[in-house]
Each structure stands twice: as structure tokens, then as C-alpha cells.
Amino acid sequence: MSDLLSRQEYQAIADQLVLTTNAHINGKFTPAKSGKTYETTNPATGEVLARIASCGSEDVDYAVKKARQAFESGVWSRLHPSARKEIMIRMVKLMKRNRHELSVLESLDSGKPIRDIATIDLPETLECFAWYAEAADKLYDQMSPATDDALGLIVREPVGVVACVLPWNFPLQMMGWKAGPALAAGNSVIVKPASETSMSALRVAELATEAGIPPGVLNVVTGPGSIVGKAIGMHPDIGAVSFTGSTEVGRRVLEYSARSNLKRVVLELGGKNPAVVLEDAEAMDAVAEQVIRAVFWNMGENCTSNSRLIVHRKHKEDLLPRLLDKLRDWKTGDPLDPQNALGAMVSQRQFDDVMGYIAKGKEEGATLITGGEALAIGKGLFIAPTIFDDVTPDMTIAREEIFGPVLTILTVGSDAEAIDLANDTCYGLQASVFCAHGKKALRAARQLRAGTVTVNCYGEGDITTPFGGYKLSGFGGRDNGFHAFDQYTEVKTIWLDLSEHELDAGLD
Ligand code: NAP
Ligand code: MG
């Protein structure tokens, strides 16, 4: 928290911001060829912040052409990895120097609390870019097992032009997770940020150019997913798309690939993640703290939000008042005020969706413990953190991803029932298990069908650990760690014949 400024200091930065509004293609800010723009608003105030370039397929074509030219020229793709590293580290330093500005930009555009951006999103984004920069010159290729007569080389090469299609809930961080390894591997990259939150990606691209990333290597094309995202998905000269967003749109991205050039597709999708409190769990105060964080962090607009608390009957009465007690520390309000832990919902659509789920919870007979209403804070889109008890597995709020500040509590009579219920979902992104007995906790972690399972805490691992989902939560690969390089590299076999072959005769 040491890097936080005051509300007044953040406001002063906001007042002086120069907003980035045009696409960033070939190292330059570029308006849409059609001249079209769309409004981006601050969801905490309703105020229009700027008009952003609303690109079309012709702008995607132009960006891909420039990205391809840069790739073929070798200016980045064939640069020594240690030189790529140096430039990326320079980019990280520039981002760090401009961190307060980037944090304010992100907060204004998304409604996210500045406190989280300044202490989590931004530092983790810097760490991510730096980690992949540092990894760039430490990756070795392989040699196959072979006899003296042959040599099999297994080498990795950048895919070429890759696209990163981003969601609005962690705009900076998702750009880091994808563009970081893609750039480190030598690709040319096209980022398509979410329409609601495009400004921080544009500013990062500008800083990347200032740091020395050559024109055409990191491009940001703004505009609607149905146009820009589709044009990317269908483009014959894009070799891979790394997508984070909803399962519904993810399916479409797969279809685009099937209908065009079979580009590689990696999808990071939704979740309905459980926090499972087993019979042997201890320290209910600590459990309550983790459970509250797991569901309300980032207003629940979080793919790993633990929106289902599955608790053993034995702990229920003890845990419930502690949850309410911990929640008192989570103040909702002005995102630019670092005292606030909860900001605004990102958009009217998201606000309406979440309020719809809250109404459904009431209608289907769950017991509302707290919240359940919008908060009148200026013209902002604020929702009170909400807890429903007596939720049954068939209720809509127990089954569908809400993507808002809503906790559903389901009570079970045994550990086996808890695990079955945790797995009774079409998703499998993350799960948290609370159990003081090491062996049982580990057994439960193995039984939970999710890409990440945390034990006695909530989390997603860190930059060193792969991240992605089972079932409808993901497809095709993993973000983070060395696993992410699989998304952005092709594997090539080079086979050399070393036998004393007739062909060699003339070479002596
Ligand atoms: P979304 O509507 O699926 O949008 C994601 C991205 O896809 C945006 O950039 C969007 O552009 C674009 N898009 C929309 N329609 C498209 C189309 N037809 N073709 C190609 N691209 C298209 O998701 P969201 O509402 O931003 O994000 C919420 C979802 O993301 C949740 O389900 C959440 O669980 C998931 N999520 C998953 C992870 C993870 O790592 N697994 C992380 C964060 C979020 P526009 O903004 O212009 O519509
Ligand atoms: Mg906005």
C-alpha cells in the first residue's frame, strides 16, 4: 500500500491526463480509416471520458500488414533474445515511471478501485512483462534422443502475427499476460482491448514504442468485438489468437478459426468457482477473510471469483457472522479514493445483468443476508456487496456466472458432498479448499476439477504458475509461466542425417 497517493493527488493526475484515443498501429496513433469513433465513459460518474477510434476490418488488415512486414524484416523476430529483453525491460521502466498516470487512466475507464490497481494490477503487470523479458534469453531448445547417425533438433520459432483479445475486468494485467510472452518469443502482436477499457492498452503501446519496440511489433486496434474481434478471428495472416472473455464469444473465436486459416486459438473463459470449507477446516476468522476477498475483489468482476461458498454444516453458524464482520472493511464508493475497496460496475449492461441475478436469487427463494441493492452514489453504477444464504444447487445464482459482487452460500453435510457439489458445474477455472488436515486438503485439491486449486487461501498462483480452465472455462493452452510460450511458438523438428552416406562422398 506504500505506493498509494491521496484522493486529491489522484484527482490532480486525472485533471491533467492526456487521453489516448486513436488506435496504435505501426508505432503511431492512427484514427479509424472510416473516421468513426465511440464514447468511453467513467462508470463511477457517468461522465464521457473520450471518443475512441472505432476501427473496422480495413484497419485490422492494415495492422496485420504492418505487423507481418515487421515480422518478416526480422527487426524484432530475429533480434537476439537478449536485445529483446533489454528493450522490454526499458518498456517496464517507462511504465513504472508512469505508473500513477496508468493507474488513474485504468480506474477512470473501468470503475476499478485505484487501491487495487496501484497495489495489485499495475505491479503485477510490470512483473509479468519483466518476467517474460527476463525469460527471453533463458529458453533453450532441445535435441532428440538419437544415435551417432542422426541429429534431431527441436526448435521453437515465433508463430508470426498473433492477436490478443482482451476483457474489461483486468485490462492492463491481461495485456501483460498475453503480450508479454508473445513479444518475448519474437512475434508481432495485435491487441484488441475491450471496448469499455481501451485507454490503458493504447498508453502502454505508446510507451512500448518510446522504449524502442519497433513499429509494427505491438499494435492496438480498438473498436467493437463484433467487427474488430471478428476480423481478427477470420484473418488469414494471423497465426494465433489468445482470447480472454466470455465462453459464448470464445466459442465464436473457435468458429472463426475453423472457417478461416485454422489459426491457433487459446481461450480463457468464465467460471463459477467454489470456496469449499471442509469438516476439518480451522481458523474460521482467516477463512472468512479469504472468502470475502475471493468473491468481492474487483467487485466480483473476476473470472476466478469464488461466488459459491460450499460450507460444511459444522462451520456454518460460526462462519456467517465472521463473513459479515470482514465485509465491514470493504467500503464501496469513489474508485479514485484509496480508502474504497469496491468501485463501480464497468457498464450499464453489466450492472443490469448483476441486478437481474440478484432479483432472481430473491425470486427463487434464497435468503438475502446483506446487500441486494444498488447504491446511490452520484450517477455511478454501484452495487452493494450481496450475500445469499440457503442457496440450493438448482438455483440460477448457484449455476450461472454472475460476474458481480454476489456470494451464494450452499451448506453440505459431508466432505464428499462438498466435492461433488463443487464439481457440479460446467466450468472449471479455480477452486479454493479450506482444510487443516494436510493429506485431506491435498486429496480434495486433486479431486476438484479446476485449472487452479488453492489450499487454505484464495488466489490464482503467480506469474510462474500456469493459469487456465477445465471444461467450459478454457481451451487450448495456458497463460503465465513457461507454459504461455506454447501459445506463441511453433515447434519445428530439424533432422540431420549424419550417417556415412553416399551423398557425403563428394563433400570430403
Ligand atoms: P466478452 O464479451 O466475451 O469480451 C471479451 C473480448 O472479446 C472483448 O475484447 C470483446 O470486445 C471481444 N468480442 C466481443 N464479441 C466478439 C466477437 N464476436 N468476436 C471476437 N471478439 C469479440 O467478455 P467480457 O464481458 O469482456 O468479460 C467477461 C468474461 O470474461 C467473463 O465471462 C469472465 O469470466 C471472463 N474472463 C475470463 C478470464 C480467464 O482468464 N479465464 C479472465 C477475465 C475474464 P468488445 O469489448 O468490443 O465487445
Ligand atoms: Mg470506460
Side-chain angles (χ1 to χ4, degrees):
M1 301 279 273
S2 57
D3 201 32
L4 283 173
L5 305 180
S6 68
R7 167 74 181 77
Q8 287 73 16
E9 287 168 312
Y10 283 127
Q11 187 60 53
I13 293 171
D15 292 342
Q16 284 171 18
L17 273 184
V18 179
L19 298 175
T20 40
T21 59
N22 279 325
H24 198 268
I25 303 176
N26 201 31
K28 286 196 277 290
F29 283 121
T30 315
K33 285 193 197 297
S34 66
K36 283 191 194 157
T37 58
Y38 69 90
E39 279 178 359
T40 191
T41 56
N42 177 348
T45 62
E47 171 199 358
V48 175
L49 287 169
R51 298 196 66 90
I52 307 277
S54 185
C55 294
S57 59
E58 61 284 6
D59 300 292
V60 172
D61 285 345
Y62 176 63
V64 175
K65 189 171 142 203
K66 290 294 158 190
R68 172 59 60 187
Q69 279 172 2
F71 185 78
E72 297 303 337
S73 77
V75 64
W76 183 254
S77 55
R78 292 198 296 279
L79 201 60
H80 193 281
S82 63
R84 286 206 292 267
K85 171 176 87 174
E86 232 176 88
I87 295 173
M88 285 181 70
I89 294 287
R90 227 169 22 236
M91 170 183 161
V92 171
K93 285 184 180 158
L94 273 177
M95 286 174 68
K96 190 166 184 191
R97 208 175 299 154
N98 291 280
R99 66 191 180 283
H100 297 308
E101 179 208 324
L102 279 168
S103 297
V104 170
L105 198 57
E106 186 92 321
S107 179
L108 292 176
D109 209 7
S110 67
K112 285 165 68 85
I114 194 97
R115 163 163 126 177
D116 282 355
I117 300 171
T119 62
I120 304 171
D121 299 46
L122 206 273
E124 290 190 4
T125 305
L126 297 179
E127 189 195 3
C128 173
F129 275 115
W131 197 88
Y132 283 107
E134 286 293 348
D137 64 353
K138 293 167 193 71
L139 288 170
Y140 288 78
D141 287 332
Q142 294 170 311
M143 212 168 81
S144 75
T147 64
D148 288 350
D149 289 345
L151 189 60
L153 302 178
I154 303 156
V155 298
R156 282 186 181 268
E157 297 179 344
V159 167
V161 179
V162 307
C164 312
V165 180
L166 308 181
W168 43 255
N169 57 347
F170 294 94
L172 275 168
Q173 225 176 336
M174 291 304 110
M175 184 171 179
W177 280 21
K178 293 178 190 299
L183 288 171
N187 296 282
S188 290
V189 177
I190 294 175
V191 173
K192 152 50 189 132
S195 293
E196 276 97 355
T197 55
S198 290
M199 289 199 292
S200 57
L202 292 168
R203 181 69 177 121
V204 170
E206 187 183 24
L207 292 172
T209 301
E210 196 180 326
I213 297 210
V217 172
L218 178 60
N219 309 278
V220 177
V221 182
T222 50
S226 56
I227 298 174
V228 174
K230 183 175 179 187
I232 284 172
M234 294 293 294
H235 205 288
D237 202 24
I238 291 179
V241 178
S242 183
F243 170 90
T244 291
S246 61
T247 300
E248 180 199 346
V249 175
R251 285 181 195 276
R252 258 182 247 167
V253 175
L254 260 184
E255 280 171 22
Y256 300 148
S257 168
R259 281 162 50 201
S260 57
N261 61 340
L262 293 181
K263 58 178 64 60
R264 189 181 297 190
V265 173
V266 173
L267 307 173
E268 300 288 359
L269 309 169
K272 188 69 186 169
N273 315 287
V276 187
V277 181
L278 297 179
E279 187 173 7
D280 277 344
E282 285 175 2
M284 280 309 121
D285 217 43
V287 173
E289 191 167 331
Q290 294 293 312
V291 168
I292 289 295
R293 175 165 183 71
V295 65
F296 295 124
W297 176 46
N298 209 48
M299 294 72 72
E301 291 174 330
N302 173 15
C303 54
T304 62
S305 166
N306 286 182
S307 55
R308 291 186 297 152
L309 169 60
I310 298 172
V311 56
H312 193 284
R313 192 189 298 131
K314 179 179 152 190
H315 297 298
K316 170 71 176 301
E317 295 313 311
D318 190 11
L319 189 55
L320 199 54
R322 292 174 198 269
L323 291 173
L324 293 171
D325 186 47
K326 297 293 171 196
L327 190 54
R328 273 191 266 281
D329 296 336
W330 288 66
K331 301 262 176 303
T332 307
D334 177 7
L336 274 195
D337 183 343
Q339 300 300 317
N340 290 325
L342 291 159
M345 304 308 289
V346 72
S347 64
Q348 187 69 49
R349 195 193 69 177
Q350 191 61 20
F351 175 90
D352 293 344
D353 280 359
V354 175
M355 291 306 292
Y357 278 115
I358 290 174
K360 201 94 184 154
K362 293 175 182 168
E363 210 178 286
E364 291 184 358
T367 308
L368 182 67
I369 300 289
T370 186
E373 62 196 0
L375 293 173
I377 306 173
K379 290 187 183 150
L381 302 167
F382 295 92
I383 297 178
T386 297
I387 301 180
F388 280 110
D389 195 5
D390 305 317
V391 175
T392 54
D394 53 318
M395 286 183 188
T396 309
I397 54 170
R399 304 214 69 82
E400 294 184 17
E401 182 182 46
I402 299 175
F403 226 57
V406 182
L407 177 65
T408 61
I409 304 180
L410 299 104
T411 310
V412 291
S414 73
D415 288 354
E417 194 189 339
I419 301 292
D420 283 350
L421 191 50
N423 285 335
D424 179 22
T425 166
C426 60
Y427 294 112
L429 189 58
Q430 191 271 3
S432 307
V433 57
F434 296 90
C435 176
H437 190 287
K439 216 196 262 186
K440 277 192 191 164
L442 195 54
R443 202 175 304 137
R446 298 297 289 262
Q447 288 168 340
L448 288 163
R449 305 275 302 148
T452 299
V453 180
T454 56
V455 177
N456 291 326
C457 64
Y458 163 71
E460 299 174 353
D462 67 12
I463 189 61
T464 65
T465 52
F467 180 84
Y470 287 22
K471 302 192 261 182
L472 294 190
S473 289
F475 175 88
R478 292 288 184 261
D479 283 330
N480 291 352
F482 286 106
H483 289 74
F485 283 115
D486 293 343
Q487 292 190 46
Y488 306 107
T489 52
E490 293 281 8
V491 175
K492 178 182 278 179
T493 296
I494 301 175
W495 188 262
L496 284 86
D497 180 5
L498 303 180
S499 61
E500 291 182 14
H501 204 270
E502 279 178 8
L503 274 180
D504 289 342
L507 299 176
D508 292 331

